Amino acid sequence: MMSISKVAVIGAGTMGAGIAAQIANAGVTVVLLDLVPGGAAGAVARLLKTEPAAFMHPRNAGLVISGDLSTDLALVSDCDWIVEAIIERPDAKRALYAQLDAVRKPGSVVSSNTSTIPLADLLDGASGPFAADFMITHFFNPPRYMRLLEVVTGPATRPEAAAAVSRFCDVSLGKTVIDCRDTPGFIANRIGTMWMSAGVRHAIDLGLTVEEADAVAGPPMGVPRTGIFGLIDLVGMDLIPLVAGSLLRTLRQDDPFHGVHRDEPIMARLIAEGRTGRKGKGGFYTLQRDGAKRIKQAVDLDTGEYRPEQAASLDSLKTRELRALAEHDDRGGRYARALLLDTLSYAASLVPEINERIDAIDDAMKLGYNWARGPFELIDQLGAAWLAAALRKDHRAVPPLLTAVGEGSFYRISNGRRQVFGPDGAYHDIARPDGVLLLDDVRLATQRVAGNPSASLWDLGDGVVCLEFTGKMNTMDPDVFALVRETVAMGTEGRFKALVIGNDGAQFSVGANLKRALEGIERGAWQELQAATEEGQDAFRALRDAPFPVVGAVSGMAFGGGCEILLHCDAVQAHAETYMGLVEIGVGLLPSWGGCTRMLLRIAADKATPKGPMPAAQRAFELIATGSVSKSAANARDLGLLRVTDPITMNRDRLLADAKARALALVDDYAPPPPQTIRLAGSSGRWAFRMGAEGHEALGRATAHDLVICDEIARVLTGGDADPTEDLTEDTLYRLEREGLLTLAQTQPTQARIRHMLETGK
């Protein structure tokens, strides 16, 4: 198969530069050229300062070769794939393709990042060889974080070229690649633009405020809290008329979009005044300063003027079921019904025009618009028969696909497999790409090996089991520890060969169940707290001492105890978007499930750490006392939270399979790591840390209670009253952790911090 080892991106605007950054994140050299002299170099410099960061590590910027299109076009001559990301004008793109065709190497792939222009229009006048190497690769912004990639090929596109680019984008760039037909707007923007157009129109017609509309079209429908008006502000209001205009020009005249979309005077006015959203002078929402405060305001859709934000207080929002919301008779219910009927009937009418796979359409909306449920999953939630009846009641056409599914659903479980209804009237198994392993599929096909309300153990096959946390945000509690001990016992008996710790969720684990901990603290149940701390330590140490390899499969947040359990694993397979840290200082505590101990010993064992009683303690103190959190898996390596030998997986869906393979690779001749000892500075080292912390307090960088917490952290990391000439065991350090936690938990400021975290999430 064709390999891709060097890429070029033409166009250093927001999208082009972001695509180049993600290619660099994959460790691949990328040429970035811009039409404006110096534009590419300036774009890279800006990306290094943007938040959220485009580069997973600043050093990745070194893989970007910047240049000017007018003088440096020859730099693309040895590239395997060339991505065009310039202005959305077919004539400009075709002129660029003629230039590229003259210098590109034979067989190199050229693709367009267009979101609106049909492939056939882009290829007008192109040579046969160019058409064979051409396709559309539509990324979503920002390219690092948005997982969807829509791919469109033409009748002349070489299958091996499309396969090579798709494989590279999947494995190396971490994208979920969805094949689309060469139709206007492809999948996500075709449905998403209808949804936004319907949302704005119905809100105005029904007299809703922007806050009310976003409250209805947000979480109740599984949509982010931005809703529709907030999303328009986020993407840029001036972009909406361009995308809608393209659809109006290219869609058939009988397409339902023509009947729903309406050019809204309020949007035209806001755009003309530069109020295009977050990138402009506000949009439907804006933030105004009142001294040190920032006050959120919203546009009055009648007057176009800003007013203080108003909380939505519709009765319909008190309902918990989507169908009940859509059947409610207040303005919110009528809005929900109108929006759902327009959007969901439209999606159903587009099969198989845009894609014959219903699950692919759902995935496109979930990944491209961050919906929790795709349109056909929403139809199943409402009931397909209910939706058809609602359409008939409104004297609207019922899409043939909706009629075909009848009283049934678009998804079902059969023989342990998730199946999806097809336009042929039959159900089909949902197939996963090679190298993708999901616990969702494992759950359907097997019974769990063991479990309780907070954790489950699943058989992944080949002698590997997976420990999954199942509490809210995958928090940890005594039930988790109990299953850990049970799992170790099963493995010791030889019932499996290796263990993976992971899940399919957005977060790995945010650590301890603080609500449960606070309840004990408020009762003064100090012995219970000490026992629970020791229980967690014993469970994690049992994993480390187990006679089988343990591999953590981490993605998203791994905070506090979530980070600590990973520090006890033999290896970690990390998704590129991993944000881990020992953050206990934020709630007035210290890492006490072995986090201080394992971090200290890992740093001490690092050959780069100078010998002596203080260097390792100093590095560990800086990490723990600041509550540092990695901004990526690559950054976690820098912090020492991951080893340099811990592999990184770019595609989230491939993480569990990669972790399983890593665990199996460790099985042969496996032996648990031996106990470690360390020499530490004792009370003199603790005083040194205290003096440094007091300096931060004097500068206003730390509170008085921060000093108390730091003192307890320092006590652990310097060995308490240790003699610097004596070897300290792990047992001593774990004991110091428990003592430090108990001391801090009994202070009022720590208890206040825990309450604040539970109340605000901050």
Side-chain angles (χ1 to χ4, degrees):
M1 177 182 284
M2 169 186 172
S3 63
I4 295 176
S5 57
K6 187 176 182 181
V7 181
V9 177
I10 313 298
T14 300
M15 282 300 299
I19 293 168
Q22 183 64 1
I23 293 168
N25 289 333
V28 175
T29 298
V30 54
V31 173
L32 178 62
L33 304 181
D34 196 48
L35 285 70
V36 177
V44 174
R46 286 192 298 275
L47 288 180
L48 284 167
K49 300 175 183 178
T50 59
E51 289 293 340
F55 290 110
M56 293 178 180
H57 196 289
R59 65 168 170 263
N60 294 345
L63 291 170
V64 182
I65 301 172
S66 303
D68 299 336
L69 184 63
S70 59
T71 57
D72 301 312
L73 187 59
L75 290 174
V76 310
S77 62
D78 62 344
C79 291
D80 305 301
W81 175 28
I82 304 169
V83 183
E84 168 268 303
I86 66 170
I87 189 171
E88 287 286 90
R89 278 178 33 205
D91 58 334
K93 293 178 184 289
R94 288 194 292 263
L96 174 62
Y97 299 157
Q99 291 180 272
L100 294 174
D101 205 15
V103 298
R104 71 186 183 99
K105 69 179 182 180
S108 60
V109 182
V110 178
S111 72
S112 175
N113 184 57
T114 183
S115 61
T116 61
I117 305 173
L119 183 143
D121 290 352
L122 295 173
L123 285 177
D124 186 20
S127 67
F130 187 87
D133 294 332
F134 185 79
M135 57 196 295
I136 289 173
T137 50
H138 178 214
F139 289 81
F140 281 68
N141 192 42
R144 170 180 167 182
Y145 301 97
M146 297 299 288
R147 290 173 56 190
L148 177 61
L149 178 72
E150 294 180 322
V151 169
V152 180
T153 58
T157 308
R158 291 186 296 116
E160 57 271 27
V165 170
S166 294
R167 176 73 179 175
F168 177 79
C169 291
D170 173 347
V171 177
S172 298
L173 301 188
K175 301 302 173 188
T176 296
V177 179
I178 294 182
D179 294 324
C180 303
R181 305 283 173 82
D182 189 16
T183 55
F186 313 132
I187 295 177
N189 282 344
R190 178 80 172 270
I191 297 172
T193 305
M194 167 63 100
W195 171 67
M196 288 188 287
S197 293
V200 173
R201 177 174 186 154
H202 293 311
I204 292 173
D205 289 350
L206 290 168
L208 272 75
T209 66
V210 293
E211 298 98 323
E212 289 172 335
D214 285 345
V216 172
M221 296 185 185
V223 172
R225 293 187 180 277
T226 52
I228 289 175
F229 290 98
L231 177 64
I232 292 172
D233 278 359
L234 180 63
V235 301
M237 196 181 305
D238 54 337
L239 180 63
I240 305 303
L242 298 177
V243 177
S246 175
L247 290 177
L248 292 170
R249 288 191 301 273
T250 54
L251 290 174
R252 300 185 311 270
Q253 285 306 305
D254 62 348
D255 191 277
F257 183 73
H258 289 283
V260 171
H261 178 77
R262 185 175 68 195
D263 291 333
E264 302 293 349
I266 183 66
M267 291 184 65
R269 172 183 167 179
L270 293 173
I271 293 170
E273 295 173 356
R275 293 190 280 168
T276 54
R278 297 188 186 184
K279 67 180 181 181
K281 297 181 290 186
F284 288 112
Y285 296 95
T286 189
L287 290 174
Q288 297 292 336
R289 289 194 176 275
D290 182 7
K293 292 183 178 180
R294 302 178 73 189
I295 300 174
K296 191 172 184 180
Q297 296 183 323
V299 159
D300 185 307
L301 292 175
D302 291 325
T303 67
E305 302 300 326
Y306 287 119
R307 52 158 177 75
E309 184 182 31
Q310 302 170 352
S313 57
L314 298 164
D315 285 343
S316 53
L317 289 172
K318 299 174 184 177
T319 62
R320 295 190 176 185
E321 297 293 331
L322 185 61
R323 188 191 296 187
L325 171 63
E327 290 178 338
H328 201 286
D329 196 40
D330 74 355
R331 290 177 297 120
R334 295 196 298 275
Y335 178 68
R337 186 176 183 277
L339 179 58
L340 289 168
L341 262 59
D342 278 343
T343 306
L344 301 183
S345 65
Y346 191 56
S349 74
L350 295 176
V351 180
E353 178 189 344
I354 59 174
N355 197 301
E356 64 182 13
R357 286 179 48 209
I358 287 168
D359 56 311
I361 295 172
D362 278 348
D363 286 344
M365 294 311 299
K366 289 187 288 187
L367 297 173
Y369 278 74
N370 284 326
W371 290 9
R373 294 177 291 277
F376 294 96
E377 291 171 322
L378 286 170
I379 293 174
D380 280 356
Q381 189 178 1
L382 287 167
W386 180 91
L387 179 60
L391 290 167
R392 293 189 191 100
K393 186 177 180 180
D394 274 11
H395 307 289
R396 299 169 61 167
V398 178
L401 186 68
L402 205 56
T403 301
V405 79
E407 296 286 337
S409 61
F410 285 107
Y411 292 94
R412 73 177 189 184
I413 308 300
S414 179
N415 297 320
R417 299 294 298 271
R418 194 176 191 217
Q419 294 185 328
V420 63
F421 189 78
D424 59 356
Y427 286 92
H428 305 271
D429 289 346
I430 295 179
R432 306 294 185 194
D434 290 341
V436 170
L437 175 62
L438 303 179
L439 278 183
D440 279 346
D441 295 337
V442 175
R443 291 189 200 96
L444 296 178
T446 64
Q447 296 291 320
R448 69 179 182 178
V449 178
N452 56 47
S454 298
S456 295
L457 191 67
W458 301 97
D459 186 354
L460 301 183
D462 302 312
V464 181
V465 294
C466 178
L467 177 64
E468 174 196 26
F469 310 137
T470 57
K472 185 178 180 180
M473 298 290 283
N474 297 326
T475 53
M476 297 181 182
D477 58 25
D479 282 342
V480 170
F481 305 145
L483 187 57
V484 168
R485 292 193 301 272
E486 184 180 350
T487 299
V488 171
M490 293 167 60
T492 302
E493 294 169 1
R495 294 175 59 181
F496 57 83
K497 296 189 292 188
L499 171 66
V500 169
I501 303 175
N503 58 69
D504 287 343
Q507 317 303 343
F508 178 76
S509 172
V510 297
N513 185 327
L514 286 178
K515 183 178 180 181
R516 188 166 179 169
L518 183 60
E519 290 171 352
I521 290 172
E522 290 179 336
R523 289 188 289 108
W526 307 120
Q527 290 185 338
E528 289 181 20
L529 179 62
Q530 183 168 343
T533 306
E534 191 165 1
E535 189 177 12
Q537 290 181 343
D538 290 346
F540 290 0
R541 293 181 75 179
L543 286 173
R544 184 175 179 275
D545 297 336
F548 50 82
V550 180
V551 175
V554 59
S555 178
M557 293 187 291
F559 294 164
C563 181
E564 289 178 287
I565 196 170
L566 293 170
L567 291 172
H568 287 79
C569 292
D570 295 294
V572 173
Q573 186 78 35
H575 179 227
E577 300 298 345
T578 291
Y579 318 114
M580 61 189 300
L582 298 167
V583 298
E584 286 84 351
I585 191 171
V587 289
L589 299 171
L590 56 75
S592 56
W593 286 335
C596 292
T597 300
R598 296 263 61 87
M599 200 71 246
L600 176 65
L601 294 175
R602 176 179 292 187
I603 293 171
D606 187 344
K607 294 180 180 179
T609 303
K611 301 306 176 186
M614 281 297 285
Q618 179 69 45
R619 279 186 54 193
F621 182 81
E622 290 171 357
L623 179 73
I624 297 169
T626 58
S628 298
V629 174
S630 69
K631 295 182 178 180
S632 66
N635 180 227
R637 285 176 171 172
D638 285 352
L639 295 175
L641 296 166
L642 291 176
R643 308 172 186 87
V644 293
T645 55
D646 287 330
I648 295 175
T649 297
M650 291 293 284
N651 191 318
R652 177 65 178 87
D653 289 344
R654 296 182 175 276
L655 178 63
L656 195 58
D658 288 349
K660 175 185 173 182
R662 178 72 172 148
L664 286 171
L666 296 173
V667 168
D668 290 345
D669 302 320
Y670 176 79
Q676 292 176 256
T677 60
I678 190 171
R679 293 186 178 184
L680 295 170
S683 56
S684 61
R686 182 179 176 187
W687 276 106
F689 286 130
R690 181 177 297 174
M691 290 174 63
E694 288 173 349
H696 282 282
E697 183 194 26
L699 294 172
R701 298 173 182 167
T703 67
H705 193 57
D706 286 333
L707 266 62
V708 174
I709 305 167
C710 288
D711 195 49
E712 290 300 326
I713 294 171
R715 182 170 177 269
V716 177
L717 297 178
T718 57
D721 296 324
D723 183 334
T725 65
E726 295 182 358
D727 291 330
L728 297 183
T729 65
E730 296 176 8
D731 288 340
T732 299
L733 297 175
Y734 280 98
R735 174 180 57 78
L736 290 169
E737 285 185 358
R738 296 194 300 271
E739 293 172 355
L741 180 86
L742 197 62
T743 297
L744 293 171
Q746 295 180 65
T747 66
Q748 290 300 317
T750 282
Q751 294 170 22
R753 288 191 184 194
I754 296 174
R755 290 190 191 95
H756 185 267
M757 174 64 77
L758 290 172
E759 291 169 0
T760 68
K762 300 178 182 178

